[in-house]
């Protein structure tokens, strides 16, 4: 359903702004043991959540910019400790920017890609430590100013490929300043296949990218945001052919190009119309591109002002998450402004396409120069927390302490051997008892220089799920009808041949987990 978005003030936007935030956060940085500093003024902050030791708790990796990065292990009691493996991935002699946790070789362990000024570094997680495999997998040839990375299996061979976003300060003439697309060779190597795209359109001063199926045709498309009014690029995935794989630049025809000083990016079906919308930050404005596919139009419409998320701040990282578990994804926006009125923004999703600025009183209106932001329910209490990176300063961890009786649900996907561990490119749709449907797309790499927790989080309000539908990257669909609430449901991938066997009728998480060894 498409709501009447032009009637913002009729839904209490100003009232909520005046009465404070419907969610509350506490700065627990010191208590949690997070001490990572950030010294660079030229590279973005890098913040990534991922369970590198497979103990069920989200761990955290933070970059320095000019000095040693740190890998933190989640202790499970609200605190973090420097991992015994941190020195192996510290890169103290590099200038590091963005970072992602990723299972590039489908062995069930989260590896680590760190982007740098120079050669980016890929660390393979062996289960008992990390090994630098950059040269052996073919990623050592390119040198750029690495900002962000987006991962997806664009050619459906079961292995995640990667798009690396590079920024430049002066010009994009030199090839080292261009973005790169690498195709994964069954977890053993990466091949530069940038020629599949228009290299000229990859020469912009990029900051962030994300893979998402914007046109709902079952494959993973790519959206890249560029600084300096270069214009953003939307690559439609058109399948095999074209000398390897076909991508079409549909930026102009879909109105997704929308030039700005684009920096961060976030994805959500914020208006609950069954397609994915795009938000990106800039200088002096922010842009919310509402997907029109539910109306049969392959276009985007900028509705930032009407929706109440337009800001004059210098803004960077961004993400959607349901902070109060009411069933609607809210929006966090990182800014770098000394004016308290332009500090980090929190927007409450009111429904019907409207947001209210509830930054004041939220406890998370950080006044520092914030660049990156990444979320995770790090204490597993059913409330979304997040970390932010302040350039030239350090990092802050905000714990969600919102008091609410709303229900929630986490969905954790497992697909090792067939896909990457977290099944990037999957879509999860939660069917509720009032007929509503909530959907999340499992993407890897968004905000800016970040990766969020792999578990997909759903606020439910006072409702309950009647079914969880999972559409895996290969198109296989399964349904879990266990009806659980206020917990994390684990769902594992099963091959088509097993699903289609006579007499096989498992449709619950317990059945999948038993067969998958969970």
């Amino acid at each position: 359903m498409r709501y009447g978005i032009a009637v913002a003030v009729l839904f209490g936007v100003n009232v909520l702004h005046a009465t404070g935030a419907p969610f509350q956060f506490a700065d627990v940085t010191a208590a949690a043991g997070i001490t990572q500093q950030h010294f660079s003024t030229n590279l973005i902050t890098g913040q990534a959540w991922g369970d590198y030791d497979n103990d069920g708790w989200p761990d955290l990796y933070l970059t320095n910019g000019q000095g040693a990065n740190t890998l933190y292990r989640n202790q499970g009691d609200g605190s973090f400790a420097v991992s015994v493996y941190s020195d192996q991935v510290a890169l103290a002699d590099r200038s590091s920017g963005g970072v992602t946790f990723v299972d590039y070789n489908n062995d069930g362990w989260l590896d680590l890609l760190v982007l740098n000024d120079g050669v980016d570094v890929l660390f393979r997680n062996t289960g008992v430590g990390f090994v630098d495999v950059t040269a052996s997998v073919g990623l050592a040839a390119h040198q750029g100013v690495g900002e962000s990375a987006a991962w997806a299996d664009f050619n459906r061979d079961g292995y995640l490929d990667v798009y690396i976003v590079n920024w430049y300060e002066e010009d994009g003439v030199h090839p080292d300043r261009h973005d790169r697309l690498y195709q994964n060779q069954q977890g053993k190597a990466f091949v530069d296949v940038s020629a599949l795209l228009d290299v000229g359109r990859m020469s912009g001063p990029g900051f962030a990218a994300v893979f998402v199926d914007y046109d709902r045709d079952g494959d993973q498309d790519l959206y890249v945001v560029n600084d300096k009014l270069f214009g953003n690029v939307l690559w439609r995935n058109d399948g095999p052919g074209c000398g390897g794989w076909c991508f079409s630049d549909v930026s102009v025809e879909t109105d997704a190009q929308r030039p700005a000083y684009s920096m961060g990016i976030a994805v959500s079906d914020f208006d609950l119309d069954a397609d994915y919308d795009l938000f990106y930050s800039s200088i002096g404005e922010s842009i919310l591109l509402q997907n029109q596919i539910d109306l049969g139009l392959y276009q985007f419409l900028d509705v930032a002002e009407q929706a109440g998320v337009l800001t004059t701040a210098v803004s960077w990282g961004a993400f959607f998450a349901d902070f109060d578990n009411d069933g609607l994804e809210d929006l966090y926006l990182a800014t770098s402004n000394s004016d308290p009125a332009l500090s980090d923004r929190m927007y409450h999703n009111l429904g019907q396409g409207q947001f209210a600025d509830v930054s004041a009183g939220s406890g998370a209106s950080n006044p520092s120069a914030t660049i990156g932001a990444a979320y995770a329910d790090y204490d597993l209490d059913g409330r979304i927390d997040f970390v932010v990176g302040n350039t030239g300063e350090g990092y802050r961890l905000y714990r969600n302490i919102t008091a609410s009786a709303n229900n929630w649900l986490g969905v954790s996907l497992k697909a090792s051997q067939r896909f990457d561990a977290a099944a990037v490119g999957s879509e999860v749709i939660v069917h509720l008892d009032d007929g509503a449907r909530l959907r999340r797309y499992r993407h890897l790499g968004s905000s800016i220089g970040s990766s969020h927790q792999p578990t997909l989080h759903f606020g439910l309000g006072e409702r309950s799920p009647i079914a969880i539908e999972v559409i895996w990257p290969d198109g296989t669909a399964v349904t879990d009808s266990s009806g659980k609430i206020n917990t994390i449901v684990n769902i594992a991938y099963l091959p088509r041949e097993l699903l289609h066997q006579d007499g096989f009728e498992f449709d619950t998480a317990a059945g999948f987990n038993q067969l998958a060894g969970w």
Side-chain angles (χ1 to χ4, degrees), residues 471-488:
I471 304 173
W472 299 97
D474 66 354
T476 302
V478 296
T479 300
D480 163 76
S481 56
S482 57
K484 296 179 180 178
I485 60 171
N486 302 327
T487 190
I488 296 175

Side-chain angles (χ1 to χ4, degrees), residues 41 45 263 281-284 311-317 332-345 366-372 389-392:
T41 57
T45 62
M263 300 176 191
S281 57
S282 181
I283 297 176
T311 178
T312 59
V314 178
S315 52
W316 293 85
Y332 177 84
L333 177 62
T335 70
S336 55
N337 294 271
S338 57
D339 182 352
L342 297 176
S343 60
D344 294 352
R345 300 286 89 191
N366 176 13
S368 298
T370 309
I371 302 297
N390 298 318
T391 185

Side-chain angles (χ1 to χ4, degrees), residues 57 59 65 79-80 93 112-113 115 158 167 221 239 245 247 249-250 264 291 346 361 427 465 476:
W57 295 90
D59 307 302
S79 69
F80 293 80
D93 60 343
L112 196 62
L113 176 66
L115 305 177
W167 182 82
D221 312 297
W245 206 262
F247 288 92
D249 179 355
V250 294
N291 198 330
M346 303 203 76
E427 183 178 35
T476 302

Side-chain angles (χ1 to χ4, degrees), residues 160-229:
L160 291 179
D161 314 297
V162 61
Y163 186 93
I164 295 178
V165 184
N166 290 288
W167 182 82
Y168 57 77
E169 187 170 2
E170 296 177 356
D171 61 67
V173 175
H174 197 284
D176 283 349
R177 294 171 177 158
H178 295 182
D179 297 350
R180 288 290 189 275
L181 176 65
Y182 291 97
Q183 184 174 320
N184 193 332
Q185 305 294 296
Q186 298 185 326
K188 299 178 177 62
F190 289 86
V191 174
D192 188 339
V193 293
S194 302
L196 296 177
L197 306 176
D198 181 343
V199 177
R201 295 287 281 147
M202 300 173 69
S203 64
F207 268 126
V210 66
F211 281 95
V212 65
D213 183 11
Y214 88 92
D215 55 0
R216 305 207 55 78
D217 66 351
D219 53 29
Q220 300 184 66
D221 312 297
L222 172 63
Y223 190 56
V224 183
V225 296
N226 291 298
D227 192 9
K228 303 180 180 181
L229 303 176

Side-chain angles (χ1 to χ4, degrees), residues 290-407:
Q290 187 182 49
N291 198 330
Q292 306 293 299
I293 282 190
D294 68 304
L295 301 178
L297 303 173
Y298 288 82
Q299 289 181 314
F300 290 90
L301 179 66
D302 183 3
V303 297
E305 184 173 6
Q306 300 97 312
V309 296
L310 185 64
T311 178
T312 59
V314 178
S315 52
W316 293 85
F319 63 82
F320 287 96
D322 189 351
F323 293 128
D324 54 352
N325 287 334
D326 66 352
L328 297 167
E329 286 196 293
D330 310 298
L331 176 64
Y332 177 84
L333 177 62
T335 70
S336 55
N337 294 271
S338 57
D339 182 352
L342 297 176
S343 60
D344 294 352
R345 300 286 89 191
M346 303 203 76
Y347 296 100
H348 183 215
N349 191 334
L350 305 177
Q352 299 191 355
Q354 307 300 313
F355 290 82
D357 184 340
V358 295
S359 309
S362 69
S365 186
N366 176 13
S368 298
T370 309
I371 302 297
Y375 69 82
D377 178 12
Y378 77 89
D379 52 3
L380 303 185
D381 67 352
R383 295 174 291 188
I384 290 294
D385 317 295
F386 63 95
V387 65
V388 299
N390 298 318
T391 185
E393 181 181 319
Y395 293 81
R396 295 188 185 184
L397 177 63
Y398 288 96
R399 180 170 180 256
N400 191 334
I401 58 172
T402 303
S404 172
N406 286 336
N407 296 322

Side-chain angles (χ1 to χ4, degrees), residues 55-280:
D55 67 350
W57 295 90
D59 307 302
L60 181 62
Y61 183 92
L62 302 173
T63 66
N64 191 324
Q66 294 176 357
N69 309 324
T70 304
L71 176 63
Y72 288 97
R73 181 176 182 269
N74 192 331
Q75 301 288 88
D77 60 0
S79 69
F80 293 80
V82 175
S83 169
V84 295
Y85 305 134
S86 187
D87 286 347
Q88 298 175 0
V89 294
L91 296 176
D93 60 343
R94 304 288 184 93
S95 295
S96 299
V99 59
T100 52
F101 275 109
V102 58
D103 180 15
Y104 80 91
N105 57 355
N106 295 4
D107 66 353
W109 295 96
L110 285 180
D111 312 297
L112 196 62
L113 176 66
V114 184
L115 305 177
N116 304 296
D117 185 353
V119 177
D120 303 318
V121 177
L122 179 65
F123 293 102
R124 180 171 65 86
N125 187 343
T126 66
V128 291
F130 289 84
V131 178
D132 183 345
V133 296
T134 310
S136 62
V137 300
L139 289 178
H142 176 67
Q143 298 189 40
V145 181
E147 301 289 0
S148 302
W151 295 81
D153 179 14
F154 75 77
N155 60 346
R156 286 192 167 189
D157 66 354
Y159 289 88
L160 291 179
D161 314 297
V162 61
Y163 186 93
I164 295 178
V165 184
N166 290 288
W167 182 82
Y168 57 77
E169 187 170 2
E170 296 177 356
D171 61 67
V173 175
H174 197 284
D176 283 349
R177 294 171 177 158
H178 295 182
D179 297 350
R180 288 290 189 275
L181 176 65
Y182 291 97
Q183 184 174 320
N184 193 332
Q185 305 294 296
Q186 298 185 326
K188 299 178 177 62
F190 289 86
V191 174
D192 188 339
V193 293
S194 302
L196 296 177
L197 306 176
D198 181 343
V199 177
R201 295 287 281 147
M202 300 173 69
S203 64
F207 268 126
V210 66
F211 281 95
V212 65
D213 183 11
Y214 88 92
D215 55 0
R216 305 207 55 78
D217 66 351
D219 53 29
Q220 300 184 66
D221 312 297
L222 172 63
Y223 190 56
V224 183
V225 296
N226 291 298
D227 192 9
K228 303 180 180 181
L229 303 176
F230 182 89
N232 300 337
V233 187
L234 178 60
W235 302 100
R236 188 183 65 211
N237 188 335
D238 290 333
C242 308
W245 206 262
C246 298
F247 288 92
S248 297
D249 179 355
V250 294
S251 315
V252 175
E253 65 189 74
T254 61
D255 294 322
Q257 177 169 292
R258 179 59 167 81
Y261 295 92
S262 309
M263 300 176 191
I265 188 170
V267 175
S268 174
D269 178 19
F270 81 91
D271 50 5
L272 303 182
D273 64 354
D275 54 32
Y276 293 101
D277 312 294
L278 303 168
F279 175 92
Y280 59 96

